[in-house]
Amino acid sequence: MKDLARLISHQATSPEREHSTVRALRPEPRTHYHPPMSETTPTLPEPSRLMRHRALAWLGVRWRIVHTSAVLLVLALSPSSYTRSHRDAIARNLVAACARNLLWSSLLSALISIVIIRIVLVTSISYGLSQYALEMLIRVLVLELIPLTAVLFVAVRIAVPSLVRTASSRPERADAHPLDPERLAREALPIAITTTFAVLLLATVSCVLAAVLAYFSVHGITAGGLASFTRTFGRVFDPTVSLLFGLKTLLFALAAGMLPVASALVDRIGAAPRASVMVQALVRLLFVILLIEAASLVGNYY
């Protein structure tokens, strides 16, 4: 009986021993010293997000300026924009801008032409290259310098002062609705057309004045050198150069007419003072003018 009781007791305690043995052999779970990585997309660092936001804002402002300039150009080419009231406003702006600035632009161009003509003539005579003086004067003055002077004069005297009125009419809300074409035709289009026409007019008058002064400085007050002057002028202004010159002057006029007005309309007046808006518009215009002039130089001399 004792042997039977010992056998039953041994069979009853063997599963507990076996279970404790399995638990002793089972490896302990490892302790994680680092938290598990999140499955969500990591956020950008703060400087990267700030730079990305600024880049997108910069591109957005430039795109709105280009879009507004294109809308102004389309309105300028559309006959429906020239209603009676719009024609009266455009005519008043044209007379006021051109009559007041034509004389001063002519005097400035004449002064610059006389100084450069004198420098070129004295230098060419001292080096024995007087036969190339007239061609150099035509290239420097008529082809390059005078159109650039005209567009800068119009930008400072006409375009920038007109931005005050354009900026004042810009709504200060950041979420304002895109500009209505009717409003553009009523408020911004007269200023754009006036500035564009002023550049073309002042550039034409200044180029003719510079050519006349160059002729009188080289040949004197006589008609004997007219054939030589005409031949030299035609040799400089061949068909390719004439096309590039006309295209450059037209681009200057469109840039001075459309870009400052579009820049003033797009910039938020409520976030920046008017002086800052005008300076930004002038800087953008100067940058575009430099690009056009660089492209013209490459086309003429390379």
Side-chain angles (χ1 to χ4, degrees):
M1 293 295 291
K2 291 181 179 180
D3 293 337
L4 182 59
R6 191 181 300 113
L7 180 60
I8 294 173
S9 174
H10 177 71
Q11 290 180 353
T13 56
S14 59
E16 296 180 359
R17 291 179 181 178
E18 190 173 332
H19 183 66
S20 62
T21 305
V22 171
R23 278 192 305 177
L25 294 177
R26 183 180 299 170
E28 294 292 331
R30 296 182 180 180
T31 305
H32 294 281
Y33 294 98
H34 300 283
M37 296 182 62
S38 176
E39 296 181 358
T40 60
T41 304
T43 59
L44 294 174
E46 191 65 26
S48 300
R49 295 176 61 186
L50 183 60
M51 291 179 61
R52 181 181 178 183
H53 176 72
R54 288 180 178 178
L56 292 177
W58 187 86
L59 291 175
V61 170
R62 268 63 187 176
W63 168 250
R64 288 195 296 271
I65 291 175
V66 173
H67 176 71
T68 308
S69 301
V71 172
L72 285 173
L73 181 59
V74 171
L75 288 176
L77 298 176
S78 177
S80 60
S81 302
Y82 298 95
T83 60
R84 183 176 182 82
S85 59
H86 295 167
R87 289 198 305 269
D88 293 340
I90 292 172
R92 286 193 300 268
N93 288 335
L94 282 175
V95 173
C98 297
R100 185 176 63 249
N101 295 291
L102 182 58
L103 177 61
W104 294 110
S105 174
S106 301
L107 291 176
L108 179 62
S109 300
L111 179 62
I112 294 175
S113 300
I114 291 173
V115 172
I116 293 180
I117 287 170
R118 185 61 181 171
I119 293 173
V120 171
L121 287 179
V122 171
T123 305
S124 60
I125 291 174
S126 62
Y127 284 98
L129 300 173
S130 57
Q131 66 272 19
Y132 302 108
L134 183 58
E135 182 176 351
M136 185 181 300
L137 287 174
I138 294 174
R139 288 187 179 276
V140 172
L141 284 176
V142 181
L143 190 61
E144 302 297 342
L145 189 58
I146 294 302
L148 189 61
T149 305
V151 69
L152 292 178
F153 183 87
V154 171
V156 174
R157 292 280 298 176
I158 299 177
V160 173
S162 300
L163 295 181
V164 178
R165 182 172 55 188
T166 305
S168 300
S169 64
R170 172 72 166 89
E172 299 186 359
R173 291 174 48 201
D175 57 344
H177 192 270
L179 293 174
D180 185 29
E182 180 61 27
R183 183 184 178 190
L184 281 177
R186 183 178 64 254
E187 298 177 357
L189 187 61
I191 300 174
I193 293 179
T194 299
T195 309
T196 303
F197 182 80
V199 172
L200 295 176
L201 177 63
L202 298 186
T204 303
V205 174
S206 300
C207 287
V208 172
L209 182 61
V212 171
L213 291 175
Y215 173 81
F216 286 148
S217 299
V218 174
H219 297 286
I221 305 177
T222 178
L226 189 59
S228 174
F229 177 80
T230 306
R231 186 165 51 252
T232 304
F233 199 91
R235 186 168 60 248
V236 173
F237 279 88
D238 57 8
T240 303
V241 174
S242 300
L243 178 62
L244 291 176
F245 175 76
L247 185 60
K248 179 183 73 171
T249 307
L250 180 60
L251 290 178
F252 277 168
L254 291 177
M258 307 299 169
L259 187 60
V261 179
S263 179
L265 289 172
V266 169
D267 286 335
R268 291 176 56 189
I269 307 304
R274 294 177 183 175
S276 176
V277 172
M278 290 189 293
V279 170
Q280 289 180 5
L282 185 59
V283 169
R284 290 163 183 163
L285 177 60
L286 292 177
F287 179 73
V288 173
I289 289 174
L290 289 178
L291 289 181
I292 297 172
E293 182 64 27
S296 173
L297 291 175
V298 171
N300 286 329
Y301 302 106
Y302 290 97

